[in-house]
Amino acid sequence: MRPFTSGSLPLLGILLTTGVAFAAPPQTATLTVANMTCGTCPIVVKKALDRVPGVSSTSVDFEKKTATVTFDPDKTTSARLTQATTVAGFPSKLVAKP
């Protein structure tokens, strides 16, 4: 393995400016979800959210009428998450963080 030298700096600069070296950490969003009235509703909400590119995990709580989503902010946004549930018939809003 070659040691790090000053000749390696241009390559390091290219990696840093292209974003190859750094990815945004996953984010978690909690949504309040309307219209969930039966046991099938959380399944539909989960499937709608799981189809959004960048979503890595989804948990839907029928009793609290919420969905908690972990996603890659480089691939999606909380607005796309709420849009996905709304299109599926379950309008949602992002829960304000304290």
Side-chain angles (χ1 to χ4, degrees):
M1 186 165 152
R2 291 184 4 197
F4 181 78
T5 65
S6 62
S8 303
L9 288 178
L11 178 59
L12 180 61
I14 290 170
L15 289 174
L16 291 175
T17 58
T18 60
V20 173
F22 299 101
Q27 290 184 357
T28 300
T30 301
L31 311 173
T32 56
V33 184
N35 298 346
M36 287 200 299
T37 58
C38 70
T40 305
C41 296
I43 296 168
V44 175
V45 171
K46 180 172 175 29
K47 285 184 179 184
L49 290 166
D50 285 343
R51 288 186 185 125
V52 176
V55 170
S56 57
S57 70
T58 305
S59 174
V60 181
D61 187 322
F62 177 69
E63 295 299 320
K64 294 181 181 177
K65 309 291 191 233
T66 61
T68 303
V69 187
T70 301
F71 63 96
D72 180 345
D74 289 336
K75 295 181 180 177
T76 196
T77 63
S78 56
R80 288 188 185 141
L81 301 175
T82 59
Q83 180 184 22
T85 64
T86 300
V87 168
F90 300 90
S92 65
K93 294 182 182 179
L94 184 65
V95 174
K97 295 183 181 181

